[in-house]
Amino acid sequence: MCAKRLRKGTKLNQVDLSDAKDRIIKIKTLEGMAQSTINQYNIAFNDLIKFFGKEKLIASIDLNNARDFVDWLLHEKSDEKSRFKQVAKKGVKPSSANNYLQKLRAAFNILIREGILDENVFSQIKNIKFQKKRLRF
């Protein structure tokens, strides 16, 4: 993977989701992050790309887009890896959606530090509340 040069006059905030994913993965790898955590960042960005498309500029994602993405995660994302297509449920658990939110908040904060974004739209979305199951003995 070679570094891309910015042409004269190209704004830094014209970074698409694919480039942002590459930057975040590279930064987290250089920070010595555990491979399982890097995989979670990879999964979160892959789902962002699946929802928005590869060429979507990261700076063009607003709060409503972020809410639509979380709604898609909770209600429409399908489990393509399930061996049983009949029982493959749509949507992820609220706890998984909260993990996505955690990773995306951290990633967008890094992009703000790098000067690519001005604001973190995912920081304005609160964690999803859900009832924890109680074990009875």
Side-chain angles (χ1 to χ4, degrees):
M1 187 166 55
C2 72
K4 293 183 180 180
R5 293 182 184 214
L6 293 176
R7 286 189 219 145
K8 206 173 194 180
T10 303
K11 291 186 178 178
L12 198 57
N13 62 1
Q14 292 180 344
V15 176
D16 62 18
L17 286 173
S18 181
D19 290 339
K21 172 187 164 185
D22 293 340
R23 286 179 191 221
I24 294 298
I25 299 297
K26 183 186 240 180
I27 289 169
K28 289 297 179 183
T29 303
L30 291 174
E31 288 177 355
M33 191 71 58
Q35 188 59 44
S36 60
T37 307
I38 292 172
N39 290 342
Q40 290 175 351
Y41 280 100
N42 202 13
I43 289 168
F45 269 96
N46 285 343
D47 284 343
L48 270 179
I49 290 169
K50 187 185 295 185
F51 183 75
F52 289 113
K54 203 173 196 175
E55 286 79 30
K56 174 87 169 171
L57 294 179
I58 194 122
S60 68
I61 297 175
D62 62 7
L63 183 58
N64 286 328
N65 294 144
R67 287 181 180 139
D68 290 341
F69 174 72
V70 173
D71 185 57
W72 174 80
L73 279 176
L74 288 170
H75 302 294
E76 297 176 29
K77 182 183 177 208
S78 61
D79 186 11
E80 297 160 352
K81 295 180 181 177
S82 176
R83 294 182 301 161
F84 309 106
K85 295 296 180 191
Q86 305 91 319
V87 295
K89 69 179 202 93
K90 292 206 176 228
V92 298
K93 294 178 183 178
S95 59
S96 296
N98 287 339
N99 287 338
Y100 275 86
L101 283 171
Q102 178 188 12
K103 297 300 179 242
L104 291 172
R105 285 181 195 129
F108 275 54
N109 283 336
I110 291 170
L111 294 172
I112 289 171
R113 269 198 329 254
E114 295 287 314
I116 295 169
L117 291 176
D118 296 327
E119 69 172 329
N120 186 343
V121 294
F122 286 100
S123 66
Q124 299 175 28
I125 299 175
K126 293 182 179 180
N127 279 352
I128 295 133
K129 293 185 179 182
F130 59 95
Q131 195 75 32
K132 293 181 181 176
K133 293 182 181 177
R134 297 176 79 190
L135 297 176
R136 295 184 184 200
F137 294 100

